[in-house]
Amino acid sequence: GDIKDVPSLFSRDAEKEQDFCPVKELTDEPKEAKTAQDDEFSLWMWQVQIFFTTKFFPAYQHEKVLREKIKENRIWDAELAELRKIKDEELAQLIAGREAEEAKRQEAA
């Protein structure tokens, strides 16, 4: 035997399924039922499209914008905290310097 002489599993399955054809069954339906199903499906697709375009996609875009704003706000808050820390240190140094001057005055007096 040659390998070419052995029919493949695919060709055997295809021969078995030639008798069963769902397309033939669909075409046997009356035209009105098919158009009613088509109309119902078109309406459903339209409703799905409306949902995605008016609800889902804008909400997703809004969430992305909010996430970016949150990141920006965290960075800004960190910068403000650093500035506050620097100002607090400067103020503490100023207060310590004035207290030292006051102590010198009291000792001199």
Side-chain angles (χ1 to χ4, degrees):
D2 194 33
I3 293 178
K4 294 178 184 176
D5 294 335
V6 179
S8 70
L9 293 175
F10 177 74
S11 63
R12 283 189 216 156
D13 290 342
E15 289 172 7
K16 289 179 185 176
E17 290 184 12
Q18 281 179 352
D19 297 333
F20 176 73
C21 183
V23 176
K24 289 180 185 176
E25 292 177 11
L26 289 176
T27 55
D28 293 341
E29 292 180 9
K31 286 282 184 186
E32 291 114 21
K34 185 176 179 186
T35 56
Q37 283 181 343
D38 288 344
D39 290 343
E40 186 177 330
F41 181 72
S42 295
L43 176 64
W44 179 80
M45 287 296 290
W46 180 249
Q47 290 172 342
V48 169
Q49 182 181 359
I50 288 173
F51 166 76
F52 277 102
T53 55
T54 62
K55 304 284 184 196
F56 185 76
F57 294 139
Y60 177 74
Q61 291 297 328
H62 182 68
E63 180 190 10
K64 284 176 61 175
V65 168
L66 287 179
R67 286 179 189 249
E68 288 299 317
K69 289 286 186 184
I70 289 170
K71 286 180 185 177
E72 290 173 9
N73 286 345
R74 285 183 181 160
I75 293 169
W76 193 63
D77 288 344
E79 290 173 355
L80 283 178
E82 187 67 28
L83 287 175
R84 284 188 201 119
K85 181 180 174 185
I86 291 170
K87 282 190 174 188
D88 289 345
E89 290 172 356
E90 290 174 356
L91 184 60
Q93 289 175 353
L94 183 63
I95 290 172
R98 286 190 180 172
E99 287 177 351
E101 288 177 13
E102 186 68 30
K104 287 180 185 178
R105 283 187 202 157
Q106 287 180 0
E107 287 177 9

